Amino acid sequence: MSKTSKTIQEKTTELTDLVAWFDSDEFSLEEALDKFKLAETLASDIEKDLLALKNDIQVVKQKFDSVD
Amino acid sequence: MEKPQSLNPIFSVSDFIAVVNQTLDFAYPNVEIEGEVSSFKVNQGKFVFFDLKDAGGSVGCFMMVFQLRVPIEDGMKVVVSAVPKLTQWGKFSLTVKAIRPSGEGSLKKSFELLRAKLDKEGLFAPERKRLLPRIPSHVAVISSTQAAGYADFIKILGDRWGGVKVDVAHVQVQGDSAPDQIIKAINYFNTQQDLPEVLVIIRGGGSADDLATFNDEPLVRAIAASRIPTLVGVGHEVDESLADMVADVRAATPSNAAQILVPDKHEIIRSVGAQLQSLIPRMMRTIESYEVDIRTKLNRALELAVAAVDNRSAQVESLKSILSQLDPRTVLARGYALLRGEAVVGNKVEIETNKAILRAEVLDVKNK
């Protein structure tokens, strides 16, 4: 993974963990609001990151039409 | 009288053969001939001999086994790329550099023969297939950068995902030299220090003859031998090539290859939004559950308080009733009288009834 994609991957994993927490026995309403705000921030960041990423396309200089 | 000398040169046999070959080489440095194969045979596992014929003639052909890139058998219509030559025994033949099936029937026959051969070797076995990484960061693409299929692939890749390093090898994707160019590109990427995670080979639609490149045996074997997992998308959905079949993952088209290669970021954004929305009902359910619990407890507390008040009220009423019974006025109301003073003869005493207070003198006292 590229550096930025790793960050997206990490954020996605973090968001998935947060969502899982909401369905777990550890869920408590007192903590839920803070965690929800964090999830909102993560979702927004993931969207921004995904839309900003561009592919780096390079045609290699090597020629493949030579006769051995 | 001396016999006049001929003006024509006199060759030795070897020289004559050499001159004829020189002339042929000059006139036909490379010739392509279409015909039907007959008397096909391989000698010593190295030398291939066959005749190329049509209704009006036949010519002997020779080539090396390693130049035979597709299965050939008698009756097949082929096009050979060859150099005409007069052998040292004076026999005219074609030294074949390349041979390819020609016409739908021969292409299909050659395809089926090679498929059966490679299948027997297990090259298409499902257990050989490797998974592609879910989100690759570095991919290699082998295609013609001028082809529409390549443009479709790059566009869809960009629409769906970003941040991928894409190294592209520009090669011919049809014609005699195409298989070797693609093989070289496969080898090039497989020997890179920074090894790509996926090797994508793509080509748009074309005629059966155009797509025959992807049924070339050495190319199919090179794809099978790739260290890098392969994704091949050649032609349209209905086209089937041996390169497709041997690849780790087959794409129906170049566009489909891009769809397989990376996830769709718009779908991920939607999924992330849906995940976030799914948290709200969870919180609401908990809040509602708390609300119900609190309301139940409040109601219970109220019931207990009311019961306690009722209980105390009953106690008060009971005490009031008792007190009422003990009130001297109640006794007086029932007709009794209250006597104040000492019961001694001649003493003055006070008698209180319900309605009056009387003063009286004690006239007599009798003990009971």
Side-chain angles (χ1 to χ4, degrees):
Chain A
M1 296 293 297
S2 66
K3 192 166 183 279
T4 322
S5 294
K6 266 185 185 172
T7 307
I8 290 174
Q9 185 92 335
E10 283 168 4
K11 284 174 185 171
T12 307
T13 306
E14 200 178 337
L15 180 64
T16 305
D17 290 346
L18 273 175
V19 172
W21 178 87
F22 273 77
D23 275 329
S24 74
D25 293 339
E26 291 170 27
F27 174 86
S28 79
L29 201 54
E30 291 73 16
E31 291 178 65
L33 192 59
D34 284 342
K35 289 201 184 271
F36 183 77
K37 283 180 184 167
L38 183 58
E40 261 188 331
T41 308
L42 280 170
S44 170
D45 287 353
I46 290 167
E47 182 173 351
K48 278 183 205 158
D49 289 352
L50 282 174
L51 293 176
L53 279 178
K54 301 287 173 210
N55 293 323
D56 174 22
I57 298 162
Q58 300 285 338
V59 178
V60 298
K61 289 178 183 159
Q62 177 83 20
K63 298 291 178 199
F64 303 100
D65 54 0
S66 60
V67 177
D68 291 332
Chain B
M1 198 175 159
E2 281 187 20
K3 192 179 175 183
Q5 279 201 326
S6 167
L7 290 174
N8 293 325
I10 298 174
F11 297 100
S12 69
V13 174
S14 303
D15 284 348
F16 176 70
I17 291 170
V19 168
V20 170
N21 279 332
Q22 208 171 27
T23 309
L24 284 171
D25 193 41
F26 181 76
Y28 305 104
N30 186 50
V31 63
E32 291 208 338
I33 308 166
E34 187 176 52
E36 187 185 310
V37 175
S38 72
S39 307
F40 182 88
K41 64 182 174 188
V42 178
N43 282 356
Q44 298 166 38
K46 287 192 283 191
F47 311 111
V48 180
F49 298 93
F50 62 93
D51 292 332
L52 197 61
K53 64 174 189 178
D54 63 12
S58 174
V59 59
C61 297
F62 164 77
M63 68 189 295
M64 302 299 288
V65 158
F66 71 83
Q67 293 172 310
L68 199 59
R69 306 184 69 122
V70 288
I72 298 293
E73 62 178 26
D74 285 351
M76 246 185 210
K77 194 175 169 191
V78 297
V79 173
V80 298
S81 175
V83 177
K85 194 178 175 187
L86 192 63
T87 69
Q88 65 188 91
W89 300 281
K91 188 184 173 194
F92 179 80
S93 81
L94 295 171
T95 301
V96 177
K97 292 178 188 170
I99 182 169
R100 62 176 191 273
S102 171
E104 198 177 333
S106 292
L107 283 168
K108 197 163 187 301
K109 180 71 182 168
S110 172
F111 175 88
E112 293 301 339
L113 285 170
L114 187 53
R115 176 157 78 172
K117 178 182 173 186
L118 299 179
D119 192 29
K120 202 173 170 185
E121 290 179 31
L123 257 64
F124 307 133
E127 55 269 24
R128 289 190 78 255
K129 308 290 182 193
R130 294 166 290 184
L131 291 173
L132 305 183
R134 186 174 164 267
I135 305 176
S137 62
H138 182 193
V139 301
V141 177
I142 299 174
S143 185
S144 165
T145 55
Q146 283 130 30
Y150 170 77
D152 291 345
F153 173 84
I154 292 296
K155 183 183 181 306
I156 291 171
L157 189 72
D159 287 346
R160 290 175 67 86
W161 198 252
V164 183
K165 182 183 175 199
V166 184
D167 289 335
V168 182
H170 169 60
V171 295
Q172 283 186 25
V173 287
Q174 68 185 67
D176 288 343
S177 63
D180 278 335
Q181 289 192 23
I182 299 171
I183 291 168
K184 281 179 191 165
I186 292 171
N187 293 338
Y188 169 80
F189 285 123
N190 270 280
T191 51
Q192 292 302 294
Q193 204 167 17
D194 179 16
L195 206 62
E197 294 162 68
V198 186
L199 185 62
V200 185
I201 301 172
I202 45 172
R203 188 214 189 280
S207 67
D209 204 31
D210 291 342
L211 300 179
T213 292
F214 296 90
N215 295 323
D216 176 84
E217 183 172 347
L219 172 57
V220 175
R221 290 189 184 281
I223 294 170
S226 172
R227 291 163 63 202
I228 309 166
T230 51
L231 169 61
V232 175
V234 171
H236 296 302
E237 193 141 6
V238 292
D239 296 322
E240 189 180 38
S241 73
L242 296 173
D244 285 335
M245 294 165 68
V246 82
D248 289 304
V249 177
R250 177 192 186 245
T253 60
S255 302
N256 182 230
Q259 290 167 339
I260 290 170
L261 189 63
V262 291
D264 183 357
K265 61 187 171 191
H266 302 290
E267 264 179 32
I268 289 183
I269 290 167
R270 276 195 292 276
S271 161
V272 163
Q275 276 189 311
L276 200 60
Q277 289 302 312
S278 75
L279 302 182
I280 295 172
R282 173 73 174 98
M283 286 200 295
M284 292 308 293
R285 278 200 305 276
T286 307
I287 290 169
E288 281 165 15
S289 158
Y290 277 25
E291 196 180 345
V292 167
D293 192 36
I294 290 165
R295 191 173 291 134
T296 305
K297 283 178 176 159
L298 275 175
N299 286 342
R300 180 67 187 141
L302 188 63
E303 280 171 14
L304 288 171
V306 168
V309 168
D310 287 351
N311 190 27
R312 289 296 160 91
S313 298
Q315 282 179 351
V316 168
E317 287 302 317
S318 173
L319 286 170
K320 275 167 73 179
S321 171
I322 292 165
L323 278 173
S324 162
Q325 296 301 317
L326 295 174
D327 189 347
R329 284 172 295 184
T330 307
V331 178
L332 294 176
R334 291 211 301 268
Y336 291 93
L338 185 64
L339 179 67
R340 294 188 190 94
E342 202 173 347
V344 175
V345 175
N347 268 8
K348 297 277 188 341
V349 294
E350 193 177 82
I351 301 164
E352 183 178 345
T353 69
N354 191 30
K355 291 186 177 166
I357 296 172
L358 313 171
R359 290 185 65 80
E361 189 178 326
V362 179
L363 297 176
D364 189 21
V365 176
K366 285 181 186 167
N367 289 325
K368 283 186 173 174

